[in-house]
Amino acid sequence: MDPLWIGCIVTLIALVFLFSGMPIAFALGSSSLAAMFLFMDRYQISMVAENVFEGVNDFGLLSIPLFIFMGMIAAFTRAGGDLYECFHRWLYKIPGGLGIGNIAACAVFAALTGSSPACAAAIGTMGIPEMRRRGYTDKLATGIIAAGGTLGILIPPSVTMIVYGLATETSIGKLFIAGVFPGMLMALLFSMWIPFSNILDRRKMVAAGVALPKTEVYTFSEKLAITVKVIPFIVVVAMVLGSLYTGWATPSEAAGVGAFLVLLTAMGLYKIYRPKEILNILMRTTRESTMIMMIIATSFLFGAVLTNLYIAQTLTQIIVALEVNRWVIMFLINILLLIAGCFLPPVAIILIISPILHPIVTGLGFDPIWFGIVMTLNLETGLITPPVGLNLYIVKGIAPEIPLSTVLWGSYPFILLLFLGIFILCLFPGLATWLPGMMIG
């Protein structure tokens, strides 16, 4: 049978399992076994255990549980609230300053956690009620948190970038550094939209005769008091990124040192030293890490099946041979990623699709590090796009009284800004490639 027809059948089987409601790791494993029974020799099934083991037998994977541990420490303390309060006190005089403060807090917290849901949950728990209390509409308040949370997988260190680097054999350290400028760009675009939207909302409230809440005023000593608590975490993030940029440490080494320093900081500032509290953080880290590792293992098996059936190679040859502009193909790849992001979490998409797309992208002359950032921006969009936009449901859980439709409408402007970010990155690829090119070691 033609490899493309086999590919269509295998894809259909995978979709059936993925949308059946079973965990993603089991869905990928089941679809791989089904494809092996249907199209491969029986003796190859005996290689399943070896393929699964190979999927997780990589030293680079060590950085994933360490970065998750670092994020869990920050998520289970007052770090998120203090970050939020710090930026609010410094930016409250700017129009829309509270919303900008939430985006800034999300950006810093993203660098501590590497996880979008954790970022949205930690900052949103305090940010949404405070924004609503101070005159922000439900639509804008929820949209800010849903969009700000997406920065968790773009601003380094990012779990999804680690997974992409392992799946495509791309330098994880360079991917981390490549996300710095695009992360700052998206935070800036989000922040530029908030004052404009907030001013329009306030004018509507004044026209409707609604009294605007009073703006709180903070003294310099109050600003300084909260800043002292935030500085240690910012220093840890700077040290992690600095060690990667200068070549002093590998991602795994940087993750280990970063996790240790964040733990010491949390113990010193928030008195997190009781065995029960540490055990709770370790258990949550173990659960999260195990889930990701199982997805990695079974997706490696799925990729091996696609390769053995010559599906990925055939698709690559057909696309590369198309006599169309390479940007047309890149546009179609972006559409594919956007659609996939509406239904699947980022880690699953990267593990399933990136081994197929990587040879296509490099064959067309695109930089794989640049494409990793473009892919991440697409996956960010999927996090706030229905029907399975994870951040939308995180925000809905934080503010259950706000209708999901309101959260959706609040997210739409930020979805357009993410599209703009992808377009800017296509026009100026140096935003993602300049810093990695300057790295030492």
Side-chain angles (χ1 to χ4, degrees):
M1 187 182 293
D2 183 77
L4 285 181
W5 280 110
I6 295 176
C8 291
I9 296 171
V10 172
T11 301
L12 182 61
I13 293 171
L15 289 175
V16 169
F17 280 114
L18 286 168
F19 290 109
S20 67
M22 70 169 62
I24 291 171
F26 295 117
L28 289 173
S30 300
S31 55
S32 301
L33 288 173
M36 294 174 80
F37 272 109
L38 289 173
F39 303 111
M40 295 173 66
D41 295 330
R42 293 293 182 266
Y43 77 89
Q44 291 179 300
I45 297 176
S46 63
M47 304 294 289
V48 168
E50 184 178 344
N51 281 322
V52 169
F53 176 75
E54 284 297 318
V56 292
N57 186 28
D58 192 311
F59 186 75
L61 288 173
L62 178 62
S63 57
I64 291 181
L66 289 171
F67 279 127
I68 290 175
F69 179 59
M70 188 168 76
M72 288 297 173
I73 295 169
F76 276 86
T77 63
R78 279 276 309 162
D82 286 343
L83 282 169
Y84 160 79
E85 189 64 27
C86 175
F87 286 108
H88 165 57
R89 290 186 184 184
W90 284 101
L91 300 172
Y92 75 95
K93 288 185 178 181
I94 302 172
L98 180 58
I100 296 172
N102 276 273
I103 294 294
C106 283
V108 176
F109 199 81
L112 288 169
T113 63
S115 167
S116 287
C119 186
I123 304 301
T125 300
M126 175 174 284
I128 290 176
E130 287 297 311
M131 283 189 282
R132 295 175 71 194
R133 186 172 69 85
R134 298 175 190 181
Y136 283 67
T137 62
D138 292 349
K139 185 172 70 172
L140 181 58
T142 54
I144 287 171
I145 297 301
T150 65
L151 298 173
I153 63 172
L154 178 61
I155 294 178
S158 163
V159 172
T160 53
M161 287 187 188
I162 297 172
V163 174
Y164 174 84
L166 294 171
T168 61
E169 298 183 356
T170 304
S171 168
I172 296 172
K174 289 188 175 183
L175 283 168
F176 279 179
I177 299 302
V180 172
F181 284 161
M184 293 169 62
L185 170 67
M186 291 317 307
L188 179 62
L189 291 176
F190 291 165
S191 299
M192 290 172 64
W193 162 254
I194 292 169
F196 175 74
S197 180
N198 184 240
I199 290 171
L200 289 180
D201 290 338
R202 284 177 171 266
R203 285 179 179 175
K204 290 177 183 177
M205 292 169 69
V206 170
V210 178
L212 297 175
K214 280 188 175 183
T215 302
E216 297 180 15
V217 178
Y218 298 97
T219 63
F220 181 76
S221 60
E222 289 174 326
K223 296 176 183 178
L224 197 59
I226 193 67
T227 304
V228 169
K229 287 188 174 183
V230 172
I231 285 177
F233 291 105
I234 296 177
V235 169
V236 170
V237 172
M239 288 175 63
V240 169
L241 294 180
S243 64
L244 292 171
Y245 182 78
T246 56
W248 290 349
T250 65
S252 300
E253 293 166 346
V257 174
F260 179 69
L261 292 177
V262 169
L263 178 60
L264 288 183
T265 303
M267 292 173 71
L269 290 177
Y270 305 110
K271 311 302 179 186
I272 303 295
Y273 50 79
R274 296 179 182 86
K276 185 177 180 181
E277 293 172 327
I278 302 296
L279 181 62
N280 186 31
I281 292 173
L282 287 171
M283 290 299 294
R284 289 295 296 269
T285 301
T286 301
R287 283 198 292 268
E288 188 81 15
S289 302
T290 302
M291 177 191 70
I292 293 175
M293 291 300 182
M294 288 184 68
I295 294 174
I296 290 172
T298 52
S299 65
F300 189 87
L301 175 63
F302 187 74
V305 169
L306 294 180
T307 302
N308 287 332
L309 293 174
Y310 209 69
I311 296 169
Q313 298 92 319
T314 303
L315 184 62
T316 301
Q317 290 171 2
I318 291 173
I319 293 178
V320 172
L322 289 175
E323 295 184 359
V324 295
N325 188 285
R326 65 176 187 157
W327 287 104
V328 174
I329 297 175
M330 180 55 65
F331 175 77
L332 295 176
I333 289 174
N334 277 277
I335 297 297
L336 170 65
L337 293 172
L338 288 170
I339 294 172
C342 293
F343 298 97
L344 295 171
V347 170
I349 295 171
I350 289 173
L351 289 168
I352 296 169
I353 297 180
S354 61
I356 300 173
L357 293 182
H358 182 257
I360 297 173
V361 168
T362 53
L364 293 170
F366 290 108
D367 189 304
I369 292 176
W370 169 85
F371 179 69
I373 304 303
V374 171
M375 190 175 195
T376 302
L377 283 171
N378 278 285
L379 300 181
E380 281 190 75
T381 307
L383 287 169
I384 53 175
T385 307
V388 196
L390 183 57
N391 280 19
L392 299 177
Y393 296 103
I394 295 288
V395 170
K396 174 64 177 172
I398 294 170
E401 70 281 3
I402 300 177
L404 185 60
S405 58
T406 301
V407 182
L408 287 172
W409 279 110
S411 301
Y412 281 139
F414 297 99
I415 292 173
L416 296 177
L417 290 173
L418 283 165
F419 290 160
L420 177 60
I422 295 171
F423 179 72
I424 292 174
L425 205 58
C426 290
L427 283 180
F428 306 102
L431 287 170
T433 58
W434 183 73
L435 270 182
M438 299 292 290
M439 283 178 67
I440 301 170

